[in-house]
Amino acid sequence: MHIPYYDLQQISASFEPQLSQRIQAVVAGGRYLHGEELAAFERDFARYVGARHCIGVANGLDALTLVLMAWKRLKGWGDGDEVCVPALTFVATAEAVNRAGLRPVFCDVGKDFVMTEQTLLPHLTPQTRAVIPVHLYGHPCPMDSINALASSRGIMVLEDAAQAHGASTGGHKTGSMGHAAAFSMYPGKNLGALGDGGCVTTDNEELAQTVRMFANYGAQQKYVHRVQGINSRLSEIQAAALNVKLPRLDADNARRRNVARFYNTHITNPLVRLPYEGRVAQSVFHIYPVLCRRRDKLQQYLQERGIETLIHYPIPVHKQEAYAAYNAQSFPMAELVAREVLSLPITQFLTEEELHYIVSAVNAFR
Ligand SMILES: *Cc1c(COP(=O)(O)O)cnc(C)c1O
């Protein structure tokens, strides 16, 4: 048996023929940027998330960067002002801070792999202007306590929701709980385009307009540039693909949760630790992460049995060469996860037979 980690071809095929038809209509229509598909996506995704505004941009890194650029201007932040980010995340979260001319300050993650009020608190300083809770693996951060801490210090909250489309906590969807949020629609995300894509969500009108301005070469009016911006657009073809896929997001997330529930109840190997103490309620399981002391051996064992797994992420951001100035810092939980985490396959298309096969292999590992 061969079980790929995920199969984009299979995912796309499951949206046919609507997907190809909608893209063909864009091709025939001759309008490739800033058209009806983008407008529809921004309207529908804002409504889905429960935010007042959605701004489509080119990718998730831009979405994060543009919010920080906009706040820096609106709030008069200085170069090198601090933004707190978790040490365990995809590198984009930290790079966005650097790109905006601000300084990333790392914090550890808690037992659910995400930033908490407790891991954040020791790293806040008088120079902290914003925090970026990352809903890593699809699991929402404890936003009530993070928001309360941030608001008591006048700090802005930018959710990195790139892995958490459709997740919710306390009745609020990710992307509606901070002052703003950044999403990525990279093909492998829970809501994925057929190339790069991203968006910003926020309730704040002024921020929304400023993000649009920065994403449009700093212009609100053609050829009148108020700031030095960037070019960051979500194309009509990508928006069309997202419009076909969005209506099925909740159903796909529910299927991922069912896979997680299956793993939770059937994986019984004492060498393998289940995520979130076996709870499934909160996450949309962008990733199903297990911990194992002999992770590399487990990965090889599964590979030999045709089961593809990945590691998210083998090196925490503060240990990367690109962040050499931070290499001496220590974040024990982030480092433990990097050493022990393994992502099992979790697409919406895994069959009963495949799931039993994966579980038997994991349980047979010694
Ligand atoms: C994917 C991802 C990003 C970046 O998104 P891109 O669209 O690849 O730029 C940012 N943060 C997290 C947590 C991600 O998983």
Side-chain angles (χ1 to χ4, degrees), residues 59-61 64 89-90 92-93 134 136 160 162-163 184-186 189 196-197 313:
N59 55 63
L61 173 63
L64 290 162
T89 181
F90 181 61
T93 317
V134 180
L136 197 72
D160 182 339
Q163 301 189 0
S184 162
M185 277 84 74
Y186 174 86
K189 309 285 187 183
D196 279 314
Y313 296 91

PDB file of all heavy atoms in Angstrom, residues 59-61 64 89-90 92-93 134 136 160 162-163 184-186 189 196-197 313, ligand 1:
ATOM      1  N   ASN A  59      -0.079  36.130  -0.964  1.00  0.00           N
ATOM      2  CA  ASN A  59       0.323  34.942  -0.192  1.00  0.00           C
ATOM      3  C   ASN A  59       0.237  35.265   1.299  1.00  0.00           C
ATOM      4  O   ASN A  59      -0.024  36.407   1.687  1.00  0.00           O
ATOM      5  CB  ASN A  59       1.755  34.504  -0.572  1.00  0.00           C
ATOM      6  CG  ASN A  59       2.757  35.629  -0.424  1.00  0.00           C
ATOM      7  OD1 ASN A  59       2.983  36.127   0.676  1.00  0.00           O
ATOM      8  ND2 ASN A  59       3.348  36.054  -1.527  1.00  0.00           N
ATOM      9  N   GLY A  60       0.488  34.256   2.126  1.00  0.00           N
ATOM     10  CA  GLY A  60       0.368  34.439   3.570  1.00  0.00           C
ATOM     11  C   GLY A  60       1.443  35.337   4.153  1.00  0.00           C
ATOM     12  O   GLY A  60       1.173  36.113   5.081  1.00  0.00           O
ATOM     13  N   LEU A  61       2.656  35.234   3.628  1.00  0.00           N
ATOM     14  CA  LEU A  61       3.738  36.103   4.116  1.00  0.00           C
ATOM     15  C   LEU A  61       3.390  37.569   3.886  1.00  0.00           C
ATOM     16  O   LEU A  61       3.569  38.411   4.767  1.00  0.00           O
ATOM     17  CB  LEU A  61       5.057  35.753   3.407  1.00  0.00           C
ATOM     18  CG  LEU A  61       6.236  36.678   3.691  1.00  0.00           C
ATOM     19  CD1 LEU A  61       6.634  36.645   5.167  1.00  0.00           C
ATOM     20  CD2 LEU A  61       7.442  36.304   2.814  1.00  0.00           C
ATOM     21  N   LEU A  64       0.681  38.804   6.438  1.00  0.00           N
ATOM     22  CA  LEU A  64       1.269  39.164   7.736  1.00  0.00           C
ATOM     23  C   LEU A  64       2.034  40.483   7.635  1.00  0.00           C
ATOM     24  O   LEU A  64       1.875  41.386   8.461  1.00  0.00           O
ATOM     25  CB  LEU A  64       2.242  38.062   8.187  1.00  0.00           C
ATOM     26  CG  LEU A  64       1.644  36.714   8.613  1.00  0.00           C
ATOM     27  CD1 LEU A  64       2.713  35.616   8.591  1.00  0.00           C
ATOM     28  CD2 LEU A  64       1.031  36.818  10.012  1.00  0.00           C
ATOM     29  N   THR A  89       6.949  27.670  14.612  1.00  0.00           N
ATOM     30  CA  THR A  89       6.010  28.093  13.575  1.00  0.00           C
ATOM     31  C   THR A  89       6.721  27.942  12.249  1.00  0.00           C
ATOM     32  O   THR A  89       7.922  27.643  12.210  1.00  0.00           O
ATOM     33  CB  THR A  89       5.564  29.560  13.767  1.00  0.00           C
ATOM     34  OG1 THR A  89       4.629  29.924  12.726  1.00  0.00           O
ATOM     35  CG2 THR A  89       6.732  30.528  13.716  1.00  0.00           C
ATOM     36  N   PHE A  90       5.996  28.131  11.142  1.00  0.00           N
ATOM     37  CA  PHE A  90       6.664  28.259   9.853  1.00  0.00           C
ATOM     38  C   PHE A  90       7.387  29.605   9.854  1.00  0.00           C
ATOM     39  O   PHE A  90       6.902  30.589  10.408  1.00  0.00           O
ATOM     40  CB  PHE A  90       5.643  28.173   8.710  1.00  0.00           C
ATOM     41  CG  PHE A  90       6.277  28.271   7.363  1.00  0.00           C
ATOM     42  CD1 PHE A  90       7.215  27.338   6.950  1.00  0.00           C
ATOM     43  CD2 PHE A  90       5.963  29.319   6.515  1.00  0.00           C
ATOM     44  CE1 PHE A  90       7.825  27.442   5.702  1.00  0.00           C
ATOM     45  CE2 PHE A  90       6.565  29.422   5.260  1.00  0.00           C
ATOM     46  CZ  PHE A  90       7.492  28.483   4.862  1.00  0.00           C
ATOM     47  N   ALA A  92       7.759  32.049   8.056  1.00  0.00           N
ATOM     48  CA  ALA A  92       7.101  33.258   7.545  1.00  0.00           C
ATOM     49  C   ALA A  92       6.636  34.187   8.663  1.00  0.00           C
ATOM     50  O   ALA A  92       6.685  35.410   8.511  1.00  0.00           O
ATOM     51  CB  ALA A  92       5.901  32.873   6.674  1.00  0.00           C
ATOM     52  N   THR A  93       6.176  33.629   9.772  1.00  0.00           N
ATOM     53  CA  THR A  93       5.656  34.460  10.863  1.00  0.00           C
ATOM     54  C   THR A  93       6.717  35.449  11.327  1.00  0.00           C
ATOM     55  O   THR A  93       6.441  36.634  11.525  1.00  0.00           O
ATOM     56  CB  THR A  93       5.217  33.572  12.051  1.00  0.00           C
ATOM     57  OG1 THR A  93       4.516  32.436  11.575  1.00  0.00           O
ATOM     58  CG2 THR A  93       4.335  34.346  13.016  1.00  0.00           C
ATOM     59  N   VAL A 134       0.014  32.122  16.606  1.00  0.00           N
ATOM     60  CA  VAL A 134      -0.115  31.262  15.423  1.00  0.00           C
ATOM     61  C   VAL A 134      -0.996  30.068  15.797  1.00  0.00           C
ATOM     62  O   VAL A 134      -0.668  29.338  16.734  1.00  0.00           O
ATOM     63  CB  VAL A 134       1.270  30.748  14.966  1.00  0.00           C
ATOM     64  CG1 VAL A 134       1.133  29.856  13.729  1.00  0.00           C
ATOM     65  CG2 VAL A 134       2.229  31.905  14.696  1.00  0.00           C
ATOM     66  N   LEU A 136      -1.238  27.063  15.275  1.00  0.00           N
ATOM     67  CA  LEU A 136      -0.401  26.047  14.634  1.00  0.00           C
ATOM     68  C   LEU A 136      -1.114  24.704  14.535  1.00  0.00           C
ATOM     69  O   LEU A 136      -1.761  24.267  15.487  1.00  0.00           O
ATOM     70  CB  LEU A 136       0.909  25.894  15.412  1.00  0.00           C
ATOM     71  CG  LEU A 136       2.029  25.184  14.667  1.00  0.00           C
ATOM     72  CD1 LEU A 136       2.598  26.063  13.558  1.00  0.00           C
ATOM     73  CD2 LEU A 136       3.141  24.749  15.616  1.00  0.00           C
ATOM     74  N   ASP A 160      -2.001  34.652  13.175  1.00  0.00           N
ATOM     75  CA  ASP A 160      -1.513  33.930  12.000  1.00  0.00           C
ATOM     76  C   ASP A 160      -2.403  32.700  11.856  1.00  0.00           C
ATOM     77  O   ASP A 160      -2.232  31.701  12.560  1.00  0.00           O
ATOM     78  CB  ASP A 160      -0.041  33.540  12.167  1.00  0.00           C
ATOM     79  CG  ASP A 160       0.517  32.834  10.929  1.00  0.00           C
ATOM     80  OD1 ASP A 160      -0.290  32.301  10.145  1.00  0.00           O
ATOM     81  OD2 ASP A 160       1.752  32.808  10.770  1.00  0.00           O
ATOM     82  N   ALA A 162      -2.870  30.951   9.080  1.00  0.00           N
ATOM     83  CA  ALA A 162      -2.515  30.272   7.822  1.00  0.00           C
ATOM     84  C   ALA A 162      -2.812  28.778   7.850  1.00  0.00           C
ATOM     85  O   ALA A 162      -2.962  28.153   6.805  1.00  0.00           O
ATOM     86  CB  ALA A 162      -1.037  30.498   7.514  1.00  0.00           C
ATOM     87  N   GLN A 163      -2.883  28.178   9.062  1.00  0.00           N
ATOM     88  CA  GLN A 163      -3.148  26.739   9.161  1.00  0.00           C
ATOM     89  C   GLN A 163      -4.519  26.456   9.772  1.00  0.00           C
ATOM     90  O   GLN A 163      -4.787  25.323  10.158  1.00  0.00           O
ATOM     91  CB  GLN A 163      -2.056  26.075  10.019  1.00  0.00           C
ATOM     92  CG  GLN A 163      -0.664  26.272   9.440  1.00  0.00           C
ATOM     93  CD  GLN A 163       0.403  25.450  10.145  1.00  0.00           C
ATOM     94  OE1 GLN A 163       0.116  24.718  11.080  1.00  0.00           O
ATOM     95  NE2 GLN A 163       1.636  25.578   9.686  1.00  0.00           N
ATOM     96  N   SER A 184      -3.131  32.153   4.677  1.00  0.00           N
ATOM     97  CA  SER A 184      -2.452  31.714   3.456  1.00  0.00           C
ATOM     98  C   SER A 184      -3.365  30.730   2.755  1.00  0.00           C
ATOM     99  O   SER A 184      -4.009  29.898   3.400  1.00  0.00           O
ATOM    100  CB  SER A 184      -1.142  31.004   3.802  1.00  0.00           C
ATOM    101  OG  SER A 184      -0.695  30.226   2.693  1.00  0.00           O
ATOM    102  N   MET A 185      -3.431  30.826   1.443  1.00  0.00           N
ATOM    103  CA  MET A 185      -4.159  29.809   0.683  1.00  0.00           C
ATOM    104  C   MET A 185      -3.206  29.041  -0.241  1.00  0.00           C
ATOM    105  O   MET A 185      -3.562  28.662  -1.356  1.00  0.00           O
ATOM    106  CB  MET A 185      -5.320  30.446  -0.092  1.00  0.00           C
ATOM    107  CG  MET A 185      -6.558  30.632   0.768  1.00  0.00           C
ATOM    108  SD  MET A 185      -6.536  32.142   1.738  1.00  0.00           S
ATOM    109  CE  MET A 185      -6.867  33.341   0.471  1.00  0.00           C
ATOM    110  N   TYR A 186      -2.004  28.826   0.247  1.00  0.00           N
ATOM    111  CA  TYR A 186      -1.043  27.908  -0.375  1.00  0.00           C
ATOM    112  C   TYR A 186      -1.779  26.588  -0.648  1.00  0.00           C
ATOM    113  O   TYR A 186      -2.653  26.203   0.139  1.00  0.00           O
ATOM    114  CB  TYR A 186       0.097  27.741   0.644  1.00  0.00           C
ATOM    115  CG  TYR A 186       1.160  26.745   0.316  1.00  0.00           C
ATOM    116  CD1 TYR A 186       2.252  27.115  -0.481  1.00  0.00           C
ATOM    117  CD2 TYR A 186       1.118  25.449   0.830  1.00  0.00           C
ATOM    118  CE1 TYR A 186       3.252  26.199  -0.757  1.00  0.00           C
ATOM    119  CE2 TYR A 186       2.123  24.536   0.548  1.00  0.00           C
ATOM    120  CZ  TYR A 186       3.180  24.919  -0.253  1.00  0.00           C
ATOM    121  OH  TYR A 186       4.164  24.020  -0.523  1.00  0.00           O
ATOM    122  N   LYS A 189      -2.916  24.059   2.173  1.00  0.00           N
ATOM    123  CA  LYS A 189      -3.644  24.479   3.385  1.00  0.00           C
ATOM    124  C   LYS A 189      -5.083  23.942   3.357  1.00  0.00           C
ATOM    125  O   LYS A 189      -5.555  23.492   2.321  1.00  0.00           O
ATOM    126  CB  LYS A 189      -3.668  26.011   3.483  1.00  0.00           C
ATOM    127  CG  LYS A 189      -2.312  26.685   3.341  1.00  0.00           C
ATOM    128  CD  LYS A 189      -1.427  26.554   4.557  1.00  0.00           C
ATOM    129  CE  LYS A 189      -0.182  27.419   4.354  1.00  0.00           C
ATOM    130  NZ  LYS A 189       0.784  27.323   5.421  1.00  0.00           N
ATOM    131  N   ASP A 196      -0.157  30.367  -5.312  1.00  0.00           N
ATOM    132  CA  ASP A 196      -0.129  31.184  -4.098  1.00  0.00           C
ATOM    133  C   ASP A 196      -1.391  32.015  -3.942  1.00  0.00           C
ATOM    134  O   ASP A 196      -2.005  32.436  -4.923  1.00  0.00           O
ATOM    135  CB  ASP A 196       1.090  32.107  -4.127  1.00  0.00           C
ATOM    136  CG  ASP A 196       2.355  31.389  -3.681  1.00  0.00           C
ATOM    137  OD1 ASP A 196       2.296  30.684  -2.651  1.00  0.00           O
ATOM    138  OD2 ASP A 196       3.402  31.530  -4.341  1.00  0.00           O
ATOM    139  N   GLY A 197      -1.737  32.267  -2.691  1.00  0.00           N
ATOM    140  CA  GLY A 197      -2.853  33.152  -2.377  1.00  0.00           C
ATOM    141  C   GLY A 197      -2.829  33.458  -0.898  1.00  0.00           C
ATOM    142  O   GLY A 197      -2.202  32.737  -0.112  1.00  0.00           O
ATOM    143  N   TYR A 313       7.967  21.319  12.762  1.00  0.00           N
ATOM    144  CA  TYR A 313       9.051  21.619  11.844  1.00  0.00           C
ATOM    145  C   TYR A 313      10.330  21.106  12.479  1.00  0.00           C
ATOM    146  O   TYR A 313      10.435  21.155  13.701  1.00  0.00           O
ATOM    147  CB  TYR A 313       9.124  23.140  11.625  1.00  0.00           C
ATOM    148  CG  TYR A 313       7.852  23.636  10.954  1.00  0.00           C
ATOM    149  CD1 TYR A 313       6.769  24.059  11.707  1.00  0.00           C
ATOM    150  CD2 TYR A 313       7.736  23.633   9.563  1.00  0.00           C
ATOM    151  CE1 TYR A 313       5.593  24.477  11.085  1.00  0.00           C
ATOM    152  CE2 TYR A 313       6.573  24.068   8.947  1.00  0.00           C
ATOM    153  CZ  TYR A 313       5.509  24.480   9.702  1.00  0.00           C
ATOM    154  OH  TYR A 313       4.354  24.887   9.107  1.00  0.00           O
TER     155      TYR A 313
HETATM  156  C1  LIG B   1       1.894  28.652   5.217  1.00  0.00           C
HETATM  157  C2  LIG B   1       2.165  29.544   6.370  1.00  0.00           C
HETATM  158  C3  LIG B   1       2.513  30.897   6.216  1.00  0.00           C
HETATM  159  C4  LIG B   1       2.904  31.502   4.907  1.00  0.00           C
HETATM  160  O1  LIG B   1       2.050  31.387   3.882  1.00  0.00           O
HETATM  161  P1  LIG B   1       2.564  31.519   2.364  1.00  0.00           P
HETATM  162  O2  LIG B   1       1.295  31.632   1.614  1.00  0.00           O
HETATM  163  O3  LIG B   1       3.348  30.304   2.049  1.00  0.00           O
HETATM  164  O4  LIG B   1       3.382  32.760   2.263  1.00  0.00           O
HETATM  165  C5  LIG B   1       2.606  31.688   7.351  1.00  0.00           C
HETATM  166  N1  LIG B   1       2.418  31.180   8.569  1.00  0.00           N
HETATM  167  C6  LIG B   1       2.121  29.879   8.760  1.00  0.00           C
HETATM  168  C7  LIG B   1       1.906  29.386  10.156  1.00  0.00           C
HETATM  169  C8  LIG B   1       2.006  29.017   7.676  1.00  0.00           C
HETATM  170  O5  LIG B   1       1.736  27.719   7.874  1.00  0.00           O
END
